[in-house]
Amino acid sequence: MVVTGRTSGILLHPTSLPGPHGVGDLGDVAARFIDWLGEAQQGLWQILPLGPPGAGDSPYDARSSFAGNPLLIALSPLVEWGLLTADEVPPPLPSDPERADFAGAASVKMPALARAFERFEAAGAGELHAAYEDFWHREGDWLADYALYAALRTAHDGLPWYRWEPALVRREPEALAQWRERLDRDVRFQAFLQFVFDRQWHTLKQRANERGIRIVGDIPIYVSHDSADVWAHQDLFTLDEAGQPTMRAGVPPDYFSATGQLWGNPCYRWDALAATGYRWWIDRFRRVRELVDLVRVDHFRGFAAGWQIPAGEETAINGAWVPGPGLDFFQRLQRELGPVPIIVEDLGVITPDVHELREQLGYPGMRVLQFAFGSGSDNPYLPHNYEPNTVVYTGTHDNDTTLGWFRTCPPHEREHALRYLGTDGHDIVWDLIRLAFMSVANAAVVPLQDVLELGSEARMNVPGTASGNWAWRVREDALTPERAHRLASLTDTYGRAAGAGP
């Protein structure tokens, strides 16, 4: 099992932390959050994908599956590194403390990071340069492609790679060499940003691990069309000669949507991936495992079969299930990397083949309490139907907060929840947290918004909407000792304080 004992944790993406420059970062505030988790006796910190976000600032539409988001870099540590002076750190942005300002963060952080890069290059040697050389030696395979992609995208005014000149779209060696020479400094700057991100992230992760806190990362099964991944590995995706998808990913019509969901990501050519021994996917898992302790695989069902929609369709109705790699991939993954601690996202309408694959692998699935009420006693999301090899959530990043859900859910769901909980609902959020913690699920994870008893204004994402998401941030004064102690009391009462096995 991935989780061999009882544990609990908090779901919070780093961009949702407080911070002086528009978004949360990996500096002092993140360190204090880890200390707060320790005070609350939590053993898990679950995050969303760490990559450079794409359209709509979504971490699930990243420009790379391997790179980190430069906006998460904290500037103050660069003073300690000798790359900035104290007066070169920009003053705090006058932004809303409860909403991330991604554009504002970029406007103040990137010039400061460019200045730090100049000082780094001017130094020419030293401990930082040795660490950088080691980072490049370890990560060069993906870093070279990503740094060139990021520099080219900037040089092309932010246009996606499939709208660059044909020679670059096709990655003709002569064109790549010419542009790499032309953009040499910009490419080095992009690599430097990844080095700084990696160094700061590992410092933070070490702090968490020393306090008995394991970080749960996230791998979305699909990647953005406009990403270094697809540009550098076009043969692994369903693309035509112009780099456009011939088949796009999504999900079929269900009770959430009469027309299904058309995500737009290119689908995988699993036959081409298999011919390489799934090299790109295994390298992707290896990189994520460097950054986190456990891996949540988003849309796990796509490894059994994925819904593919022909290009040109305006909805997901006219798609078809196409088999994925199934057990073969995960067996190869384990042969290459050893046991990988995986949690699978198996929400929604799941067919028997997906259950069979998860059970063969022994990975824990997810249960969400907001899905538990309003139907019969056999609802798999009701805690009396759980098995221990499960991770239970009050809600996920795609759900409303528990308070927002309870205020807006249909009356029959609300009545069922109150009857199941044996409560009048005056403390409904903590009633649901208690229910998760007392369940037999080995792990219980709660979005921080629920610990803070926030309403729909604090929702992280509304699936199917293109704007206004991913921006919620926690106020620094909200992380009080009182809330930590209340969480710690539940953690201790239901035997989760000891944490999970290694």
Side-chain angles (χ1 to χ4, degrees):
M1 293 186 189
V2 173
V3 182
T4 56
R6 288 174 66 77
T7 188
S8 60
I10 296 297
L11 170 60
L12 180 77
H13 196 50
T15 58
S16 293
L17 287 163
H21 300 120
V23 299
D25 61 37
L26 307 180
D28 291 342
V29 174
R32 289 197 293 273
F33 173 66
I34 286 173
D35 294 343
W36 184 88
L37 286 175
E39 188 178 358
Q41 297 191 42
Q42 299 308 291
L44 301 173
W45 175 17
Q46 182 167 330
I47 61 174
L48 307 182
L50 288 168
D57 301 308
S58 171
Y60 289 90
D61 191 46
R63 302 294 180 209
S64 168
S65 296
F66 295 78
N69 181 359
L71 294 186
L72 286 172
I73 294 172
L75 297 180
S76 293
L78 302 186
V79 177
E80 302 169 18
W81 298 5
L83 298 182
L84 291 176
T85 62
D87 60 357
E88 289 173 334
V89 176
L93 274 178
S95 54
D96 185 343
E98 297 179 357
R99 303 294 292 177
D101 180 2
F102 295 100
S107 71
V108 297
K109 282 194 169 187
M110 297 313 291
L113 289 168
R115 189 173 297 114
F117 171 64
E118 292 174 1
R119 197 159 285 144
F120 173 78
E121 291 232 312
E127 185 272 335
L128 269 182
H129 280 265
Y132 173 82
E133 292 299 328
D134 179 65
F135 173 70
W136 182 267
H137 178 74
R138 287 186 287 110
E139 310 296 343
D141 285 349
W142 66 264
L143 185 59
D145 285 323
Y146 171 74
L148 179 58
Y149 161 86
L152 282 166
R153 202 173 187 281
T154 300
H156 287 80
D157 298 320
L159 287 175
W161 65 265
Y162 45 83
R163 293 181 59 188
W164 301 344
E165 51 266 50
L168 279 179
V169 171
R170 293 191 297 267
R171 292 177 57 86
E172 294 178 3
E174 184 176 349
L176 291 178
Q178 290 174 350
W179 276 96
R180 191 176 286 110
E181 181 178 358
R182 177 177 171 183
L183 299 177
D184 178 60
R185 188 178 184 284
D186 297 326
V187 171
R188 296 198 313 273
F189 175 55
Q190 292 295 334
F192 167 79
L193 293 178
Q194 291 307 307
F195 162 67
V196 175
F197 169 88
D198 189 85
R199 188 176 176 90
Q200 290 193 359
W201 177 258
H202 277 96
T203 298
L204 195 65
K205 181 177 181 293
Q206 181 179 355
R207 187 186 189 97
N209 292 164
E210 288 172 350
R211 284 154 179 76
I213 298 165
R214 295 189 294 169
I215 296 177
V216 183
D218 200 315
I219 285 187
I221 185 171
Y222 296 113
V223 296
S224 174
H225 182 199
D226 182 19
S227 66
D229 305 299
V230 178
W231 177 60
H233 302 280
Q234 296 174 47
D235 57 317
L236 304 180
F237 298 88
T238 54
L239 304 176
D240 62 20
E241 292 183 358
Q244 294 298 320
T246 58
M247 304 294 291
R248 294 182 292 171
V251 291
D254 57 23
Y255 52 81
F256 292 114
S257 172
T259 59
Q261 296 180 39
L262 179 58
W263 297 331
N265 310 78
C267 299
Y268 293 106
R269 291 185 54 216
W270 287 114
D271 57 342
L273 278 155
T276 69
Y278 305 105
R279 175 53 44 203
W280 178 85
W281 258 107
I282 289 170
D283 287 344
R284 187 181 181 192
F285 264 96
R286 180 182 288 109
R287 174 60 177 159
V288 172
R289 282 288 285 124
E290 292 173 358
L291 300 174
V292 303
D293 301 297
L294 295 89
V295 182
R296 173 189 178 272
V297 176
D298 191 54
H299 199 64
F300 173 77
R301 73 140 302 114
F303 286 99
W307 189 253
Q308 297 193 9
I309 304 110
E313 294 288 334
E314 296 184 359
T315 74
I317 293 174
N318 295 320
W321 289 113
V322 176
L327 191 62
D328 182 53
F329 165 69
F330 289 100
Q331 290 175 332
R332 182 61 179 255
L333 179 70
Q334 291 179 16
R335 285 198 300 271
E336 292 261 353
L337 302 185
V340 179
I342 287 174
I343 298 166
V344 305
E345 185 270 294
D346 55 350
L347 306 175
V349 180
I350 300 298
T351 49
D353 58 326
V354 183
H355 288 301
E356 181 181 352
L357 179 60
R358 183 185 69 78
E359 290 171 0
Q360 283 180 303
L361 294 164
Y363 297 150
M366 291 175 55
R367 295 293 179 265
V368 178
L369 289 179
Q370 288 186 27
F371 299 156
F373 306 106
S375 59
S377 61
D378 60 346
N379 184 322
Y381 296 103
L382 286 168
H384 66 258
N385 293 317
Y386 295 173
E387 59 180 31
N389 194 30
T390 295
V391 183
V392 59
Y393 297 76
T394 52
T396 73
H397 63 276
D398 283 333
N399 292 100
D400 201 345
T401 66
T402 291
L403 185 59
W405 162 78
F406 188 73
R407 286 171 171 171
T408 59
C409 69
H412 72 283
E413 285 188 26
R414 189 178 303 116
E415 186 277 331
H416 185 196
L418 294 177
R419 179 160 42 89
Y420 192 88
L421 291 161
T423 181
D424 62 6
H426 77 280
D427 199 17
I428 189 64
V429 177
W430 282 92
D431 288 337
L432 266 291
I433 295 173
R434 180 183 296 275
L435 183 63
F437 276 47
M438 72 167 61
S439 76
V440 299
N442 280 343
V445 177
V446 180
L448 185 63
Q449 294 96 313
D450 287 352
V451 176
L452 303 180
E453 301 173 80
L454 299 177
S456 300
E457 74 282 355
R459 183 169 184 168
M460 192 63 167
N461 181 48
V462 180
T465 61
S467 61
N469 296 314
W470 315 111
W472 176 75
R473 285 209 294 167
V474 57
R475 298 182 69 99
E476 188 167 4
D477 58 6
L479 297 172
T480 63
E482 291 76 19
R483 292 194 185 273
H485 295 160
R486 187 173 187 183
L487 198 58
S489 177
L490 282 185
T491 307
D492 182 64
T493 297
Y494 296 112
R496 297 188 180 275

